[in-house]
Amino acid sequence: MSSFSTTTTYTLLLLLLLAAASSSLTAAAESPKPTPWPLQFHSILLVNFSGSLSLIDLWYDWPKGRNFNIIQSQLGELLYDLEWNNGTSFFYTLDSNKKCRSAQLEVGILRPNWLDGAVYLGQENVDGFLCNVWQKVDFIWYYEDVVTKRPVHWVFYTGRSIHVMTFEVGAVLEDAKWQAPIYCFDKKDTQTDLRHNYKVDVGYSEPQTEGVLRGSMQL
Ligand SMILES: *[C@@H]1O[C@H](CO)[C@@H](O)[C@H](O)[C@H]1NC(C)=O
Ligand SMILES: *[C@@H]1O[C@H](CO)[C@@H](O)[C@H](O)[C@H]1NC(C)=O
């Protein structure tokens, strides 16, 4: 009788240990997930690309299928990079040079859940914020504030480094500002297909010279 109850006690202990072990395994498998992007937001981004600095006004507008990077290079050109979800992009200036190039890409703008499937790397302090860090297919390292869940920083495989300075959820740029200038549609102007300037990598593409980030993450 007593040996039976001892066996029972050991069996119960073993079961408890197994249960504890499997729940801690489950906890390890449930690593944090990146917060999907809000459907509409405005961000000011500080960009450092091998020491070349720029400021970008990013207007992300998923419901209207459009994404705008207004890029001010330090003491340089103000460049408009307007991207539509049908793959058409316009890169232009609004100064007297009237430059415009357009591109037709096979990918649309980023989907709000484009970070799905990113691999969790742990926590790191970046720009003074404690962040969760993920990596997506050797393309991007993404840092999100542990507390507020806002993006703080991301780095592309090219070394282009982005610091998020503002993050206004729900901010929308008025429709009139999304109109590419008339000279973008002038057939006499040479319209260059910029596809060769893009490094397309498993559904992502990043302009080599302009822009920040685009591509539908069809992974
Ligand atoms: C920009 O990045 C370079 C490294 O590529 C670094 O040496 C430099 O300090 C950075 N500049 C700023 C303003 O962060
Ligand atoms: C994509 O949409 C934009 C904005 O409506 C338009 O200017 C462009 O011509 C469209 N591109 C294609 C390939 O339909």
Side-chain angles (χ1 to χ4, degrees):
M1 185 67 184
S2 115
S3 110
F4 172 75
S5 80
T6 309
T7 310
T8 310
T9 309
Y10 277 127
T11 308
L12 276 172
L13 265 174
L14 191 64
L15 282 172
L16 277 171
L17 280 171
L18 279 172
S22 80
S23 78
S24 74
L25 277 177
T26 311
E30 281 165 9
S31 50
K33 300 273 181 286
T35 306
W37 273 11
L39 298 186
Q40 293 172 312
F41 69 91
H42 172 230
S43 234
I44 297 173
L45 308 175
L46 172 63
V47 183
N48 183 348
F49 189 33
S50 311
S52 296
L53 301 182
S54 53
L55 279 179
I56 297 186
D57 261 302
L58 168 64
W59 296 91
Y60 178 76
D61 193 340
W62 177 254
K64 294 199 166 168
R66 58 197 188 182
N67 188 55
F68 215 164
N69 295 303
I70 303 171
I71 306 162
Q72 176 66 63
S73 302
Q74 185 175 21
L75 300 175
E77 200 166 56
L78 183 59
L79 185 73
Y80 297 76
D81 169 4
L82 171 53
E83 304 165 348
W84 295 98
N85 217 3
N86 61 15
T88 300
S89 281
F90 298 99
F91 305 96
Y92 54 88
T93 62
L94 289 177
D95 58 12
S96 55
N97 291 331
K98 297 191 172 184
K99 286 195 218 168
C100 183
R101 287 170 290 165
S102 64
Q104 188 58 43
L105 303 176
E106 275 155 34
V107 291
I109 67 170
L110 290 172
R111 294 193 307 231
N113 65 349
W114 66 276
L115 285 161
D116 277 6
V119 175
Y120 183 61
L121 299 180
Q123 297 191 337
E124 207 177 300
N125 253 299
V126 168
D127 296 345
F129 300 87
L130 180 63
C131 292
N132 284 316
V133 187
W134 294 269
Q135 180 188 2
K136 188 140 186 191
V137 290
D138 290 331
F139 172 79
I140 194 170
W141 284 256
Y142 190 84
Y143 301 76
E144 177 186 288
D145 188 292
V146 166
V147 179
T148 65
K149 310 287 186 201
R150 289 184 297 202
V152 171
H153 177 55
W154 60 81
V155 184
F156 295 102
Y157 68 97
T158 53
R160 191 186 301 267
S161 169
I162 313 285
H163 304 266
V164 179
M165 307 304 287
T166 67
F167 193 67
E168 292 171 77
V169 174
V172 178
L173 183 66
E174 59 197 277
D175 283 348
K177 298 273 171 64
W178 295 84
Q179 180 58 58
I182 189 82
Y183 44 87
C184 285
F185 303 92
D186 186 349
K187 290 284 179 279
K188 280 176 291 177
D189 265 343
T190 47
Q191 296 203 346
T192 321
D193 188 327
L194 289 179
R195 249 174 300 192
H196 62 279
N197 277 342
Y198 283 75
K199 158 91 177 169
V200 178
D201 191 2
V202 283
Y204 302 94
S205 64
E206 188 205 8
Q208 294 298 288
T209 48
E210 297 105 2
V212 188
L213 179 59
R214 91 171 279 159
S216 56
M217 304 291 156
Q218 324 265 9
L219 297 177

